[in-house]
Amino acid sequence: MHFKRITTALTTIAALTALTACEDTGHDRTVEVTSPTAMPGKGTDVSSLEQAQAYVQGYASCEKMGTDPNDSRLPLTDLTTVGKWAVTERGVCSDRVEHGELIFYLTSDMKAFQEGYKKRVLDKIAAGEATYGLFSRVFVGKNFAVTPTETKTALKLSRSDLRILTCNPTATVPEGYKREKALVDGCVLSDFVGSADGSGSPNFEAPRDPAAGDEPSGKPGQPAEGSLGLPRAESLDELKKMLHPNHIDCANYSTDPDTLAVESIDYRPVITGDHRAWGVEDRALCGYPAGAQRAHDLNWIDTVYDMTLLQNRARDAQREDLKDDNRLSFTASLLLVGQNIAVETNDPAVRNGLYQLQFLYLNCEPGFTAPAGYRLEKASADGCVLTNYEPGGN
């Protein structure tokens, strides 16, 4: 698999954002974490669409408010409609400056609205759209929400008292932005505008180096704010339970050395030879290596006694693979790590599931960076980073 094609789901972000832009689509700030009942402030409690429009016009262009459900300016896919999520009115206005639209929702119960949005996000993820809601454009006030189609408009609204509602469990709020609890568990309110192309809010974070003493969380590689941490397991059995059956098929599971050494035309592990020489304590293969049918669903899982050794050897192997054409071979697995565990897989769908469990991919490509909104953290191996971003395209 070419390096630039390594994540099917993430390469479709641009198309997904364009389809659902209305619904989910540089200055010092302080991070604030408020109570679960805290809500955006003055001006965000309105009694009509006209008042909501007037508030938004203090920050962005919003002309010709319409309430016709057949208005051509409405998105092809609805976020929600009147009668759902306690929505009482819906409208749309035009942003003449940024050439887009803003869709408004009045709600009689903001908690019900947030619960509805969270369920939508989780349902989409369960259906295979792992990145849905990662770049949310759902701005909420006390009793209304507005979803701009354009990133530049979202940046303008981020200066208001409205907050972006994000419920994708892989999303984080970078250091330097407000981070507040939503009315429902599992969601967050912030003024950070994420964007797949990096055109959203600036990312003030840099990878943290625990050796330099900037390790406030006690977890290697974590930024000062917003990190979701890395997963941990104390045994292969515990790791297997974490992964099977929702993320990796471990119905066929083996720790037999000969089975572990299997490579097929479709699958090549990161670790070769004696796994202990790579810093791995115990190792297993989940999948079907051969038999009556061609090998399929091969993923290697590891408990790690020396994460630095593992990452250094994986870095060397990755760079050796990149030498010829700066691309990983089609069958190469990628190494995703936790605190003391690792998974080797070349399946993009599996990796998307692992990112939801907070595993991160070891990327040692020279000059690699990630757009704002993705995790980008210090690796144990020099010249590498840990991230949940995989570049797409050719």
Side-chain angles (χ1 to χ4, degrees):
M1 180 180 297
H2 288 170
F3 183 70
K4 299 300 184 181
R5 297 174 183 153
I6 56 180
T7 302
T8 301
L10 288 177
T11 57
T12 61
I13 285 177
L16 177 63
T17 303
L19 179 63
T20 62
C22 292
E23 55 189 60
D24 205 338
T25 25
H27 43 287
D28 291 336
R29 307 187 186 199
T30 57
V31 175
E32 299 177 5
V33 180
T34 60
S35 69
T37 57
M39 286 303 299
K42 184 179 179 181
T44 68
D45 186 0
V46 302
S47 59
S48 67
L49 285 175
E50 289 71 21
Q51 286 186 5
Q53 178 186 19
Y55 178 81
V56 167
Q57 284 174 331
Y59 301 90
S61 169
C62 180
E63 304 174 20
K64 296 184 178 178
M65 177 68 76
T67 58
D68 185 344
N70 297 314
D71 195 311
S72 62
R73 295 175 295 172
L74 290 170
L76 296 177
T77 54
D78 289 333
L79 177 65
T80 188
T81 57
V82 174
K84 296 181 180 179
W85 305 3
V87 171
T88 57
E89 292 184 70
R90 185 180 71 160
V92 59
C93 71
S94 295
D95 181 350
R96 299 297 186 188
V97 176
E98 303 300 344
H99 308 290
E101 283 75 42
L102 299 96
I103 293 78
F104 287 76
Y105 306 89
L106 291 188
T107 178
S108 61
D109 185 339
M110 179 51 72
K111 184 175 182 180
F113 184 92
Q114 293 186 18
E115 287 173 342
Y117 178 67
K118 176 185 176 181
K119 183 178 185 303
R120 178 186 178 92
V121 171
L122 296 182
D123 286 349
K124 291 283 189 178
I125 291 173
E129 296 183 37
T131 60
Y132 187 88
L134 194 60
F135 305 108
S136 173
R137 293 291 183 270
V138 182
F139 285 81
V140 299
K142 288 186 176 180
N143 67 337
F144 80 94
V146 57
T147 59
T149 63
E150 303 303 313
T151 299
K152 289 183 178 179
T153 309
L155 288 169
K156 294 174 182 178
L157 289 182
S158 70
R159 302 186 182 100
S160 72
D161 283 338
L162 297 170
R163 293 287 179 266
I164 298 172
L165 175 66
T166 304
C167 298
N168 186 305
T170 68
T172 60
V173 178
E175 181 180 357
Y177 291 89
K178 293 184 173 73
R179 184 179 187 277
E180 303 164 358
K181 292 183 179 179
L183 295 177
V184 294
D185 292 338
C187 300
V188 68
L189 302 176
S190 77
D191 59 349
F192 174 72
V193 179
S195 177
D197 61 6
S199 64
S201 300
N203 191 347
F204 302 122
E205 287 186 351
R208 302 279 169 161
D209 184 357
D214 53 356
E215 196 50 56
S217 68
K219 296 177 181 178
Q222 304 311 299
E225 300 288 345
S227 174
L228 296 178
L230 296 171
R232 183 179 183 88
E234 301 308 324
S235 66
L236 278 181
D237 284 342
E238 186 177 331
L239 177 56
K240 178 183 174 183
K241 289 177 183 177
M242 180 190 302
L243 301 175
H244 179 79
N246 296 325
H247 303 284
I248 290 180
D249 178 6
C250 282
N252 193 55
Y253 170 90
S254 177
T255 57
D256 174 68
D258 291 336
T259 303
L260 292 178
V262 165
E263 293 186 30
S264 80
I265 192 172
D266 299 308
Y267 301 92
R268 182 161 60 85
V270 174
I271 294 172
T272 56
D274 179 8
H275 60 263
R276 289 193 58 82
W278 289 67
V280 169
E281 181 73 30
D282 294 306
R283 180 169 169 79
L285 174 65
C286 292
Y288 302 85
Q293 296 180 333
R294 187 171 174 171
H296 61 95
D297 298 328
L298 299 189
N299 298 283
W300 288 261
I301 65 175
D302 313 299
T303 59
V304 181
Y305 72 86
D306 189 335
M307 184 59 73
T308 299
L309 175 59
L310 173 61
Q311 291 188 21
N312 279 328
R313 293 209 58 176
R315 174 199 60 199
D316 295 343
Q318 187 179 118
R319 289 185 172 175
E320 184 66 27
D321 197 7
L322 291 169
K323 274 185 178 178
D324 291 338
D325 57 3
N326 202 34
R327 295 175 176 177
L328 293 178
S329 61
F330 183 79
T331 59
S333 292
L334 304 185
L335 182 71
L336 275 69
V337 301
Q339 291 185 49
N340 66 335
I341 49 181
V343 176
E344 302 154 60
T345 179
N346 68 0
D347 187 333
V350 168
R351 293 198 299 273
N352 281 326
L354 294 177
Y355 294 139
Q356 293 179 49
L357 293 175
Q358 314 315 327
F359 282 83
L360 293 179
Y361 160 49
L362 179 74
N363 188 315
C364 303
E365 179 187 21
F368 169 82
T369 189
Y374 288 94
R375 294 177 67 179
L376 183 65
E377 302 177 8
K378 180 71 177 178
S380 298
D382 290 340
C384 303
V385 294
L386 301 179
T387 184
N388 59 355
Y389 174 70
E390 299 181 13
N394 294 318

